C-alpha cells in the first residue's frame, strides 16, 4: 500500500534525522574534549546517513510514480527534500571534526574569549538541531515554527563571532591559522542552521 510505504519512509528518514543530529552533536563535543574514537564515530555516522539518503531517495523516486493521494504525495516530496538537508548536516559534522583535528595536530587552542563564544554558538546549534529533528520526527508544527527565528539568531551570532575574532586578530591575540579554523567552524555551524 503506497500510504504505508510513505509512512515507513518517514520513519526511516526520522532515524536519519536523528543520526545527523547526533553526528553534529558529537563533532561539537570534540571541540572541548578531543577523542579520536569519537571522531571516527562521526565519520561512520556520516557514511550511514549517506547510505540512507541514497537508498531512501531511490525508493522515494520509485514510489512517486505510483498512484498516491495528494497528502501522501506532499509527504513524499517533503521527505525527499528533508533527507538532502539531513545528509548535508552530517557532512558539516565531518567538516567540524576536520577543523578540530587540525587544531590537535598543531596543538592550537582558542583564547578564553573565543572558546566562550564558540560554546554559546554550539549551544544555539544544538538547540536548533533538536527543534528541527523533533519537529520532523513528531510532525510537530509549532516546534517547526520556532526554527526560523532561531536561525536568524544564529546568523547574528555568526556575525558577532567573526567580528570579535577580527578584533582579536588585529590586537595580535590570535594567530592567522587559528583564525581560519575559527572562521571555518563558524561557517559550518551557520550552514547547519540553514539546513535546519
Amino acid at each position: 500500500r503506497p500510504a504505508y510505504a510513505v509512512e515507513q519512509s518517514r520513519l526511516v528518514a526520522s532515524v536519519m534525522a536523528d543520526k545527523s543530529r547526533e553526528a553534529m552533536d558529537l563533532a561539537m563535543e570534540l571541540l572541548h574534549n578531543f577523542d579520536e574514537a569519537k571522531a571516527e564515530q562521526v565519520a561512520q555516522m556520516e557514511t550511514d546517513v549517506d547510505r540512507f539518503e541514497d537508498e531512501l531517495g531511490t525508493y522515494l523516486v520509485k514510489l512517486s510514480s505510483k498512484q498516491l493521494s495528494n497528502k501522501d504525495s506532499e509527504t513524499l516530496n517533503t521527505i525527499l527534500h528533508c533527507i538532502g538537508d539531513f545528509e548535508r548536516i552530517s557532512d558539516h559534522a565531518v567538516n567540524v571534526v576536520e577543523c578540530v583535528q587540525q587544531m590537535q595536530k598543531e596543538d592550537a587552542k582558542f583564547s578564553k574569549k573565543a572558546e566562550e563564544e564558540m560554546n554559546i554558538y554550539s549551544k544555539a546549534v544544538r538547540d536548533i538541531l533538536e527543534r528541527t529533528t523533533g519537529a520532523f520526527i513528531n510532525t510537530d508544527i509549532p516546534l517547526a515554527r520556532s526554527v526560523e527565528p532561531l536561525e536568524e539568531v544564529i546568523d547574528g551570532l555568526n556575525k558577532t563571532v567573526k567580528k570579535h575574532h577580527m578584533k582579536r586578530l588585529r590586537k595580535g591575540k590570535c594567530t592567522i591559522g587559528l583564525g581560519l579554523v575559527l572562521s571555518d567552524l563558524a561557517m559550518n555551524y551557520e550552514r547547519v542552521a540553514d539546513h535546519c
Side-chain angles (χ1 to χ4, degrees):
R1 273 183 12 255
Y4 176 75
V6 169
E7 182 47 31
Q8 287 307 108
S9 300
R10 205 186 66 76
L11 293 176
V12 173
S14 294
V15 172
M16 192 181 163
D18 212 38
K19 231 183 222 305
S20 301
R21 180 194 54 75
E22 210 183 323
M24 190 61 191
D25 256 1
L26 200 53
M28 290 188 293
E29 205 180 286
L30 294 176
L31 196 52
H32 314 290
N33 208 335
F34 188 74
D35 175 343
E36 195 52 61
K38 282 183 179 170
E40 279 167 32
Q41 222 179 319
V42 173
Q44 186 52 56
M45 285 176 186
E46 190 265 342
T47 303
D48 293 345
V49 170
D50 271 359
R51 207 185 63 242
F52 267 117
E53 196 212 10
D54 275 351
E55 292 177 12
L56 187 56
T58 305
Y59 178 72
L60 288 169
V61 169
K62 276 186 194 149
L63 191 57
S64 68
S65 64
K66 305 270 183 277
Q67 285 302 129
L68 296 175
S69 70
N70 281 347
K71 184 179 176 291
D72 284 336
S73 183
E74 213 172 279
T75 303
L76 186 143
N77 285 327
T78 303
I79 296 169
L80 256 178
H81 186 84
C82 290
I83 63 175
D85 285 313
F86 299 145
E87 191 272 329
R88 296 296 298 136
I89 289 168
S90 71
D91 284 345
H92 289 299
V94 169
N95 294 349
V96 168
V97 169
E98 285 166 1
C99 288
V100 179
Q101 282 169 328
Q102 194 183 332
M103 286 174 73
Q104 286 297 312
K105 206 167 63 193
E106 294 163 11
D107 198 24
K109 289 212 179 351
F110 283 139
S111 67
K112 203 91 204 102
K113 220 53 198 140
E115 197 176 320
E116 277 167 21
E117 287 178 2
M118 287 312 286
N119 277 344
I120 293 167
Y121 204 167
S122 297
K123 275 197 182 106
V125 172
R126 272 201 179 86
D127 187 7
I128 200 169
L129 273 168
E130 270 177 29
R131 287 172 196 238
T132 302
T133 51
F136 181 84
I137 293 166
N138 305 309
T139 323
D140 184 334
I141 307 297
L143 189 58
R145 284 201 186 102
S146 73
V147 171
E148 187 133 6
L150 188 52
E151 191 269 333
E152 284 168 27
V153 169
I154 287 173
D155 272 352
L157 260 176
N158 191 46
K159 288 189 181 94
T160 306
V161 166
K162 285 186 170 171
K163 198 171 76 192
H164 290 176
H165 166 65
M166 287 312 290
K167 257 189 201 154
R168 284 191 295 270
L169 209 51
R170 280 197 299 271
K171 289 180 177 169
K173 289 183 177 173
C174 182
T175 65
I176 297 274
L178 252 185
L180 290 172
V181 172
L182 186 117
S183 121
D184 220 12
L185 275 173
M187 185 200 66
N188 278 289
Y189 281 17
E190 201 243 344
R191 292 271 166 81
V192 165
D194 286 343
H195 287 294
C196 286

